[in-house]
Amino acid sequence: MDWNRLIQGLGGRLLRQAMGILMKEGVKRMGGPAKPKGQMTQAEREGHARSAETQKRLQQVMKAGRRFWR
């Protein structure tokens, strides 16, 4: 058994998993916490809507990218 190859394989897998988890959490936090609807200005609502749309697109791209990374 080639121990170096085994260690590299496990390390690469763990690194890919960690990167995936970190990217997913980063996308979740991108929009930031929303204020209550009554306290938001129209500009803040529009900005939050754009952030939500961007989050949705990034999640779709990451989902498609995972299929090709393996």
Side-chain angles (χ1 to χ4, degrees), residues 46-65:
E46 290 172 1
H48 193 65
R50 281 193 305 271
S51 292
E53 186 65 30
T54 303
Q55 280 178 308
K56 184 178 174 182
R57 286 186 186 141
L58 280 173
Q59 287 173 346
Q60 290 172 347
V61 167
M62 286 175 34
K63 188 175 182 180

Side-chain angles (χ1 to χ4, degrees), residues 11-68:
R13 180 174 179 256
L14 292 174
L15 181 62
R16 283 194 305 272
Q17 284 179 337
M19 286 296 293
I21 290 169
L22 290 174
M23 287 178 62
K24 186 188 258 185
E25 290 299 317
V27 168
K28 280 185 187 177
R29 292 175 181 233
M30 189 176 69
K35 291 181 183 177
K37 203 171 193 179
Q39 295 178 359
M40 293 177 88
T41 64
Q42 185 62 28
E44 288 174 330
R45 283 189 198 105
E46 290 172 1
H48 193 65
R50 281 193 305 271
S51 292
E53 186 65 30
T54 303
Q55 280 178 308
K56 184 178 174 182
R57 286 186 186 141
L58 280 173
Q59 287 173 346
Q60 290 172 347
V61 167
M62 286 175 34
K63 188 175 182 180
R66 270 188 237 119
R67 292 181 186 151
F68 297 109

